Amino acid sequence: METKADPVFALVDVNNFYVSCERAFNPKLEGVPMVVLSNNDGCAVARSAEAKALGIKMGEPWHKLKDLARQHGILAYSSNYTLYGDMSQRAVEVLSAFTPHLEVYSVDESFLQIESVLKLYPSATEMGQQMRQRMKQWLGLPVCVGIGPTKTLAKLANHMAKKMTRFDGVCDLHALPRAERVELMSTIDVGEVWGVGKRNAARLNDMGIYTVLDLRNTKPAEIRKHFSVVLERTCQELRGISCLELEDVAPDKQQIMSSKSFGQPVMFVEDLCEAISVYVERATQKLRAQKSLAGGLYVFLRTNPFDPRAKQYSANHHVSFGVPTDDSRVITDLAVQVIKHLYKPGYVYKKAGVMLTGLSDEATQQVDLFTDSVRLGRSTKLMRTLDDINSRFGRNSLICASSGFERSWAMKCGNRSPSYTTDWHALPSVN
């Protein structure tokens, strides 16, 4: 009788993902210090290795970096989430060819369970190198691969593959001699362990636990006593005991939020109504994509809390629906009513947003005695048609009139790259 193989996990992580996406379509950016900025070109949310070497920190405001940028020729790009999202999906498709057991952990990271396909390769390290080669050749994206018997160890191995050049981008942790593995764990700060975080790291330090090896050697029951069962599992995983299974299908979101800071100060309720309508459209598109219905709506707005000269005001309100819905028109009408109720003249508003709450599966929809089934069916068909048109011709091809057209409040994106992979008009051309 064939015994079941012990699990082997690989974590594939795209290096400096946003920066790498930009460089994939503009090779002139290779070797150039650059950052990708957050919404409204505010803070650095991605940095090239060259920018990191100049001391630029994650989340550092761009306006504080202007002098440094002029001095060293640092380039700044506006975030292009449409491009990044599409490149992320393409990366998943490439990795899916190696194994069907894959979990998309984040926009730039995926876990793969590979024990069932390892026999097709000389070694796990060779499989990891083939992943790197294919991702670079097919998508132009550089990746590092960490391999281990648990997800936590695979994540740790990925950290080593990224930080230590000796591994050439692929680290199979348990292929290393035990003495070498122990030595490496003793040199890595406990805060680098997946799921520990700064706060827990400080508490662990108070207990005399400073390194990955220290945490691995601590009794799991002791960790559970002082922290939680979650950190206890992390401790077990560092010992090679797999406690976290692969999530082949990402769970549906329990809440969906849409919110952005305004590119220009907003003072009039008409602009707020336009913005809130746009946010509802984006949120309901995500809602329908996961085949869910919303049972409630949370709306908020606020001024700029970082401007000491401005009068401060913030407000929010939650509305429960009688019957759960995914109809953009119904939710937009309610959101506009709420924002008009929250609005106060005389203030300069910086941000507003919506959150859809009480999400449920559309297949189990409960209606009341007064629900018009014919109208409900028409609503479902209309929303499906709306999504089909926007999917085929591009987002915002068909919108609610309340979303407006000028959108003077829209966020700043002064140096955004083209949507190379999702817009026919933005395809790169060859002369």
Side-chain angles (χ1 to χ4, degrees):
M1 186 183 206
E2 187 177 350
T3 58
K4 185 177 179 181
D6 293 331
V8 180
F9 297 93
L11 177 67
V12 183
D13 180 16
V14 183
N15 303 338
N16 305 322
F17 180 60
Y18 293 172
V19 169
S20 295
C21 288
E22 299 290 350
R23 285 176 168 175
F25 294 94
N26 188 353
K28 292 180 180 179
L29 297 176
E30 289 288 348
V32 176
M34 62 175 292
V35 297
V36 175
L37 303 176
S38 62
N39 293 335
N40 289 311
D41 294 345
C43 303
V45 293
R47 304 154 295 155
S48 68
E50 298 81 7
K52 293 176 183 177
L54 292 172
I56 296 177
K57 306 296 184 185
M58 177 66 82
E60 196 162 358
W62 175 241
H63 70 86
K64 292 184 178 181
L65 299 172
K66 294 291 180 69
D67 291 339
L68 187 68
R70 282 190 290 268
Q71 183 181 351
H72 295 281
I74 302 170
L75 300 181
Y77 275 70
S78 304
S79 51
N80 188 344
Y81 296 121
T82 301
L83 174 65
Y84 309 149
D86 187 69
M87 291 294 283
S88 175
Q89 180 60 41
R90 290 168 187 255
V92 170
E93 290 173 2
V94 171
L95 295 174
S96 297
F98 288 92
T99 173
H101 305 297
L102 182 147
E103 173 191 338
V104 181
Y105 178 64
S106 67
V107 70
D108 60 345
E109 294 176 285
S110 291
F111 282 104
L112 289 74
Q113 196 162 345
I114 59 175
E115 70 273 6
S116 62
V117 295
L118 275 178
K119 58 186 177 183
L120 302 175
Y121 302 89
S123 66
T125 299
E126 178 59 29
M127 182 181 182
Q129 289 295 352
Q130 289 194 30
M131 291 178 186
R132 293 189 74 218
Q133 188 272 337
R134 192 173 299 180
M135 289 283 281
K136 185 64 176 176
Q137 182 180 6
W138 290 12
L139 298 179
L141 297 178
V143 304
C144 285
V145 182
I147 301 168
T150 71
K151 291 172 76 173
T152 302
L153 285 173
K155 185 83 169 174
L156 181 66
N158 186 277
H159 172 79
M160 296 178 184
K162 191 177 295 185
K163 300 294 183 182
M164 303 176 187
T165 56
R166 52 178 282 205
F167 291 114
D168 192 24
V170 178
C171 175
D172 180 1
L173 198 57
H174 271 234
L176 301 175
R178 185 179 184 281
E180 185 177 354
R181 196 164 62 241
V182 169
E183 173 63 24
L184 286 170
M185 287 185 171
S186 69
T187 63
I188 300 175
D189 189 271
V190 71
E192 297 292 345
V193 176
W194 182 37
V196 170
K198 289 184 178 180
R199 184 175 299 178
N200 282 338
R203 291 178 60 193
L204 287 167
N205 290 167
D206 291 340
M207 296 171 60
I209 300 171
Y210 297 97
T211 68
V212 175
L213 186 63
D214 292 338
L215 181 58
R216 181 197 178 281
N217 292 339
T218 304
K219 292 181 179 180
E222 188 72 11
I223 294 298
R224 182 172 185 172
K225 176 182 176 182
H226 290 91
F227 294 90
S228 66
V229 67
V230 175
L231 201 58
E232 179 193 20
R233 288 176 186 152
T234 298
C235 186
Q236 294 278 23
E237 290 234 326
L238 289 175
R239 294 172 170 224
I241 302 170
S242 182
C243 302
L244 304 173
E245 295 183 355
L246 203 71
E247 293 185 1
D248 294 316
V249 180
D252 289 338
K253 295 179 180 179
Q254 299 303 305
Q255 297 174 330
I256 295 177
M257 188 169 188
S258 181
S259 170
K260 284 185 173 64
S261 297
F262 302 131
Q264 301 291 337
V266 170
M267 297 185 65
F268 304 108
V269 70
E270 292 81 9
D271 291 330
L272 288 173
C273 291
E274 276 190 6
I276 221 70
S277 297
V278 171
Y279 300 152
V280 168
E281 283 190 349
R282 293 173 182 169
T284 51
Q285 286 171 4
K286 296 177 183 178
L287 180 73
R288 293 189 291 270
Q290 71 173 37
K291 300 186 183 303
S292 295
L293 303 171
L297 170 70
Y298 173 84
V299 182
F300 73 91
L301 80 167
R302 63 171 171 79
T303 54
N304 186 356
F306 303 105
D307 185 353
R309 299 167 299 174
K311 292 192 300 180
Q312 298 298 317
Y313 170 67
S314 64
N316 61 77
H317 187 69
H318 185 271
V319 179
S320 295
F321 306 149
V323 175
T325 182
D326 62 5
D327 193 317
S328 300
R329 302 167 303 165
V330 173
I331 300 176
T332 297
D333 286 345
L334 282 171
V336 168
Q337 291 180 41
V338 171
I339 208 70
K340 288 180 177 178
H341 172 73
L342 297 178
Y343 171 76
K344 284 186 177 182
Y347 291 91
V348 178
Y349 295 97
K350 181 63 177 177
K351 189 173 185 178
V354 299
M355 181 188 294
L356 302 179
T357 62
L359 306 193
S360 59
D361 190 340
E362 68 174 12
T364 60
Q365 182 178 15
Q366 295 283 333
V367 297
D368 58 29
L369 291 172
F370 305 101
T371 299
D372 186 336
S373 58
V374 175
R375 185 175 181 181
L376 183 62
R378 289 174 178 170
S379 168
T380 301
K381 290 180 180 178
L382 178 61
M383 292 300 106
R384 187 179 300 124
T385 302
L386 177 69
D387 292 337
D388 287 346
I389 290 173
N390 284 326
S391 175
R392 181 177 179 183
F393 297 103
R395 194 172 76 174
N396 297 331
S397 295
L398 192 60
I399 62 173
C400 293
S402 59
S403 298
F405 301 98
E406 297 297 332
R407 299 183 182 178
S408 60
W409 46 268
M411 71 175 186
K412 298 175 184 175
C413 50
N415 195 22
R416 176 181 289 170
S417 56
S419 298
Y420 297 106
T421 61
T422 57
D423 184 350
W424 285 106
H425 301 291
L427 286 174
S429 58
V430 179
N431 297 323

